[in-house]
Amino acid sequence: MAPSARGGRSRLRLAVTAVLAGTLLLTAACSGSDDKPSWQGGGAGAGASTGPEESTSTAPAPALSTVAVTSPAADATSVELWSEVKYNSEDPANTEVKVTNAKGKEVKGTVDKDGNLWRPSESLAWGTKYTVTVSTPAADGKQNSATSTFTTMKQPANLVRVSSFLADGQTVGVGMPLIMKFGRPIPEKYRAEVERRMTVTATPAQEGTWRWISSTEVHFRPQTYWKANSKVFYKVALKGVKLGDGWYGRSDLTVDLKIGRELIMTVDNKTKKMTVKENGKVIKTIPVSLGKKSTPSSSGTMVVMEKAAHTIFDTTDEDPVNGYKTPIDWAQRITYSGQFIHAAPWSEGQQGRRNVSHGCVNVSEALGEWLFGKTLMGDVITVSGTEEKLKNGNGWTDWNMSYEEYKKGSYLK
């Protein structure tokens, strides 16, 4: 009987406990006492109704997105003109960055939200204080922001002049390279950065590349000849850019020009004729006389570099004994070494039959004038079948090589 009695007492204790628990629950549900139960967040029990003033529950406040400017350092001085602004943000997608000068004018720039960077779209001014403001929306609808200031470097004494051969408003031929020149040699380690800061925009769009002709000259050409009647805009943003040995770019510049109709001249030594095509159609065939064997014309692709309706060819400085001074009409230079297309009335009887020139492309007086009136600087002339090949660099020889070969002269790989 002992085990049974113990089991009975256990069941009795369980029953009593259950009754007490039920009493507590009933009391909590029905009591009108001001005492609040400690469960359910201190609120009323199930089925109870309370007004807003009786509720003690509160929603957690949203965490603020913190922002900070990390570079340039606060109150930094001697900051370079193309320095990026770096910042931290817990909400990059909604972060705004504003840079203003001492007069409060906003500086143009672009924001890389993935990299937390602001980059200037144009060079900053020498010796100028700037304010950076980085902000994100805050929980109360206001801006959560951070500000910092920095001052750019003073204008240095060593500045490199950067110039464009072409100017605004010019109309040039389809073979015209864009030519930039520098006032001092640019070390190789800086040339890639220089190229990155020289941008070319053509309308319609056309692929192209820069090529370094020397340490002080760089050209740009498209993959094929410029499309006729294109618009070309290029920007050179080198003010304040390091150009080696303590030297900096002096200024920025832009050029806006137009490409004219397509005019291509083709000279064949076998036929002693020049074929002139405009926009793909033959408009004239001209008898020519090229360089004799002792002074051959160069075979290759060249462009018209300069034009003079009337000039004098003087070679006496180079060759006092056999040099000559000769008045020339309708001259169009195609090489640095002195090869021209020009009128030569003294060789009109030989034109189309024999080569008697000193390397130039001789045409008649009348056809020389006609051709002179048709051409633009940058128009293309290709000569073939002569004893001598054109040497690259003897003029604007940008088209005397394949595009793949041309690209090798760029430092952007």
Side-chain angles (χ1 to χ4, degrees):
M1 295 296 294
S4 176
R6 285 195 299 271
R9 285 194 296 271
S10 297
R11 286 193 293 271
L12 180 60
R13 284 195 296 271
L14 289 172
V16 172
T17 302
V19 170
L20 290 173
T23 302
L24 288 172
L25 289 172
L26 183 61
T27 302
C30 301
S31 173
S33 169
D34 290 337
D35 294 337
K36 306 295 186 192
S38 59
W39 56 87
Q40 298 179 356
S49 174
T50 61
E53 70 280 0
E54 295 178 342
S55 176
T56 59
S57 62
T58 56
L64 291 177
S65 172
T66 59
V67 291
V69 180
T70 60
S71 180
D75 301 320
T77 58
S78 301
V79 175
E80 294 188 356
L81 305 194
W82 286 96
S83 295
E84 299 172 335
V85 171
K86 300 180 182 179
Y87 59 92
N88 289 334
S89 173
E90 295 177 355
D91 187 9
N94 296 309
T95 299
E96 295 183 356
V97 183
K98 186 176 182 180
V99 179
T100 55
N101 62 18
K103 296 181 179 180
K105 183 179 179 180
E106 184 171 359
V107 179
K108 294 180 180 179
T110 57
V111 178
D112 178 354
K113 291 184 180 293
D114 293 329
N116 286 359
L117 293 174
W118 177 91
R119 296 184 177 93
S121 298
E122 54 193 26
S123 63
L124 302 178
W126 304 110
T128 301
K129 186 176 183 179
Y130 291 90
T131 300
V132 182
T133 303
V134 180
S135 59
T136 58
D140 57 3
K142 298 179 180 180
Q143 292 290 313
N144 177 39
S145 64
T147 61
S148 183
T149 63
F150 66 88
T151 303
T152 53
M153 63 188 292
K154 294 181 180 179
Q155 181 172 313
N158 297 331
L159 294 174
V160 180
R161 185 172 183 269
V162 184
S163 60
S164 169
F165 181 82
L166 297 173
D168 279 335
Q170 284 187 265
T171 299
V172 295
V174 297
M176 185 70 211
L178 310 182
I179 302 173
M180 297 301 306
K181 295 186 177 183
F182 306 95
R184 74 182 303 275
I186 306 300
E188 289 191 42
K189 65 180 293 186
Y190 295 94
R191 294 180 190 176
E193 183 63 19
V194 168
E195 287 186 54
R196 274 191 285 269
R197 296 188 177 277
M198 299 191 301
T199 56
V200 179
T201 304
T203 306
Q206 295 157 70
E207 180 184 342
T209 183
W210 292 99
R211 177 184 177 86
W212 289 81
I213 306 304
S214 70
S215 62
T216 60
E217 185 171 340
V218 61
H219 290 194
F220 181 97
R221 59 157 271 199
Q223 184 172 11
T224 57
Y225 296 140
W226 295 106
K227 294 179 181 179
N229 304 311
S230 298
K231 293 182 179 180
V232 177
F233 171 83
Y234 56 104
K235 180 178 181 179
V236 179
L238 290 174
K239 178 182 176 182
V241 174
K242 284 183 179 179
L243 297 180
D245 303 324
W247 290 79
Y248 291 81
R250 179 180 178 179
S251 60
D252 299 337
L253 62 86
T254 61
V255 177
D256 207 338
L257 54 85
K258 183 179 179 181
I259 306 300
R261 78 288 168 272
E262 182 186 71
L263 191 137
I264 306 292
M265 297 166 279
T266 305
V267 178
D268 186 348
N269 187 36
K270 291 182 180 180
T271 62
K272 306 291 189 293
K273 291 180 180 178
M274 173 192 288
T275 301
V276 183
K277 288 186 177 182
E278 184 173 339
N279 297 325
K281 296 181 179 181
V282 176
I283 59 172
K284 188 77 75 175
T285 300
I286 301 174
V288 302
S289 179
L290 299 176
K292 55 185 181 289
K293 288 187 176 180
S294 60
T295 55
S297 300
S298 296
S299 286
T301 300
M302 297 154 275
V303 298
V304 175
M305 301 168 65
E306 63 175 318
K307 299 172 65 176
H310 309 289
T311 188
I312 294 176
F313 285 179
D314 185 352
T315 65
T316 56
D317 287 341
E318 300 173 6
D319 188 350
V321 177
N322 299 310
Y324 56 87
K325 286 184 178 181
T326 304
I328 297 293
D329 294 335
W330 317 119
Q332 304 186 59
R333 180 187 286 274
I334 55 177
T335 71
Y336 288 136
S337 62
Q339 295 180 37
F340 287 75
I341 308 166
H342 67 84
W346 58 86
S347 71
E348 287 186 13
Q350 309 299 324
Q351 293 166 16
R353 299 172 52 224
R354 295 176 55 231
N355 292 335
V356 296
S357 83
H358 290 87
C360 293
V361 180
N362 285 179
V363 298
S364 70
E365 187 76 21
L367 289 173
E369 182 177 4
W370 175 87
L371 187 63
F372 190 92
K374 295 291 292 184
T375 59
L376 295 169
M377 183 173 63
D379 280 341
V380 179
I381 175 171
T382 298
V383 177
S384 64
T386 66
E387 298 87 349
E388 184 171 280
K389 289 185 178 181
L390 176 67
K391 295 177 181 177
N392 288 330
N394 184 16
W396 299 339
T397 55
D398 302 75
W399 300 100
N400 198 48
M401 64 186 76
S402 69
Y403 185 62
E404 292 304 314
E405 182 65 23
Y406 194 84
K407 286 196 297 184
K408 293 178 181 178
S410 168
Y411 281 76
L412 293 177
K413 306 301 181 185

